[in-house]
């Protein structure tokens, strides 16, 4: 059975790379914005206005209409802060910490849920940034600061944030999330650069044939995570366990599991017994 085979591969591995896309958070109750239909289901007011995810996830709004920009990102910040990671995170953490030669997390998710699930921040690469860090819209001092204790009140009838908005702690200009948006030439990637250095150092220590890659909820719409898992598997002769509800197909010797992340991880965990 597929879950026993996945458990066998994980047991045999000496190091683990977790590659997580938006589908990883669905079982926690988070939207995955799969196309405009998925986005509009989560935010019907934007459907009425004809605004898709790519339209609203644009840094220009923070300069032109910051209340509108923070209406969307403030809602996400509040949602991600109050939502708890599902049980699958704990299972992955248990496997990761049991690996003799360590682990790393490569994720496009900006929700900070791996940190919330107590994964070490020194073993996480958030390739698109994090909503829990902010930067000045003017990038006045090229610094990133935490969004700790920052709450954004939203008028959900208009999906606009109410004043005061988050501001830069240095110059007082409006702040924006330290997230890579569409058409974004002003994203401060210094934190991701630091994370990438640690990630590459770890990859350099991985011996060929010792790596298992668990890919959760990483689709082809924005394929950053899927490309990473495939590239690393080829480079280091690693095996991928691909968990995805709709796009799970992958060739042998890799393993395909057509399921949500939490259900699949629980089933694999039970197969360890």
């Amino acid at each position: 059975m597929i879950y026993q085979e996945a458990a066998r591969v994980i047991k045999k591995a000496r190091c683990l790379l977790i590659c997580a896309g938006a589908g990883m958070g669905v079982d926690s109750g988070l939207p995955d914005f799969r196309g405009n239909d998925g986005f509009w289901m989560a935010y019907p007011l934007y459907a009425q206005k004809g605004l898709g995810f790519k339209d609203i996830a644009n840094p220009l709004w923070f300069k032109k209409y910051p209340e509108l920009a923070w209406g969307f990102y403030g809602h996400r910040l509040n949602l991600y802060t109050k939502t708890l990671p599902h049980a699958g995170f704990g299972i992955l953490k248990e496997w990761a910490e049991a690996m003799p030669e360590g682990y790393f997390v490569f994720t496009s998710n900006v929700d900070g849920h791996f940190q919330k699930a107590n994964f070490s921040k020194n073993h996480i690469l958030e390739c698109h940034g994090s909503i829990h860090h902010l930067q000045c819209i003017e990038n006045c001092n090229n610094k990133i600061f935490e969004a700790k204790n920052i709450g954004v009140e939203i008028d959900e009838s208009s999906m606009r944030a109410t004043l005061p908005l988050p501001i830069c702690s240095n110059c007082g200009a409006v702040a924006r999330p330290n997230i890579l948006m569409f058409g974004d030439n002003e994203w401060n990637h210094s934190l991701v650069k630091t994370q990438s250095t640690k990630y590459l150092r770890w990859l350099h220590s991985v011996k060929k044939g010792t790596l298992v890659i668990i890919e959760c909820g990483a689709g082809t719409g924005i394929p950053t995570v899927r490309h990473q898992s495939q590239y690393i598997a080829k480079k280091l002769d690693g095996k991928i366990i691909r968990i995805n509800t709709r796009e799970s197909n992958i060739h042998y010797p890799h393993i395909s599991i057509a399921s949500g992340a939490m259900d699949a991880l629980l089933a694999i965990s039970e197969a360890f017994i």
Side-chain angles (χ1 to χ4, degrees), residues 8-227:
R8 186 190 66 79
V9 169
I10 295 167
K11 283 181 184 178
K12 187 178 177 182
R14 295 191 60 79
C15 42
L16 169 64
L17 175 61
I18 300 164
C19 290
M24 181 65 184
V26 169
D27 293 319
S28 300
L30 301 178
D32 70 352
F33 304 150
R34 185 186 292 270
N36 276 339
D37 288 340
F39 174 69
W40 286 335
M41 189 178 298
Y43 293 101
L45 190 63
Y46 293 127
Q48 297 173 22
K49 296 177 181 296
L51 291 172
F53 179 47
K54 289 185 178 180
D55 299 316
I56 200 67
N58 188 306
L60 291 177
W61 293 112
F62 285 94
K63 293 186 176 181
K64 293 174 65 177
Y65 303 109
E67 292 92 347
L68 178 65
W70 269 113
F72 174 56
Y73 280 100
H75 186 274
R76 291 178 71 188
L77 174 61
N78 296 339
L79 175 64
Y80 296 162
T81 299
K82 73 182 181 183
T83 303
L84 296 176
H86 60 73
F89 283 86
I91 292 169
L92 286 174
K93 183 172 181 286
E94 182 180 339
W95 295 339
E97 292 181 344
M99 289 290 162
E101 295 174 22
Y103 74 92
F104 224 96
V105 175
F106 182 99
T107 182
S108 59
N109 296 339
V110 301
D111 52 35
H113 273 202
F114 280 99
Q115 290 92 332
K116 186 179 276 193
N118 294 318
F119 283 77
S120 169
K121 67 178 182 180
N122 292 319
H123 296 271
I124 301 172
L125 169 51
E126 298 161 298
C127 63
H128 292 165
S130 169
I131 203 164
H132 300 289
H133 289 88
L134 305 178
Q135 66 180 78
C136 177
I137 60 167
E138 305 297 341
N139 212 8
C140 66
N141 58 4
N142 201 35
K143 288 186 178 179
I144 296 168
F145 50 101
E146 289 190 28
K148 206 169 185 179
N149 300 321
I150 291 178
V152 182
E153 291 191 17
I154 312 297
D155 177 355
E156 297 202 11
S157 67
S158 64
M159 278 306 293
R160 282 173 165 77
T162 59
L163 299 176
L165 302 177
I167 60 171
C168 172
S169 56
N170 182 60
C171 73
V174 173
R176 53 160 278 189
N178 182 233
I179 293 173
L180 177 62
M181 302 177 197
F182 294 97
D184 197 347
N185 296 318
E186 298 177 355
W187 178 49
N188 185 334
H189 64 282
S190 58
L191 180 56
V192 171
K193 187 176 179 180
T194 298
Q195 293 175 342
S196 296
T197 298
K198 295 175 183 177
Y199 174 57
L200 293 173
R201 187 182 300 128
W202 176 77
L203 282 177
H204 187 70
S205 73
V206 173
K207 297 179 179 64
K208 284 190 174 183
T210 66
L211 176 68
V212 61
I213 301 169
I214 301 180
E215 180 194 287
C216 294
T220 58
I222 300 177
T224 312
V225 174
R226 183 170 286 214
H227 286 172

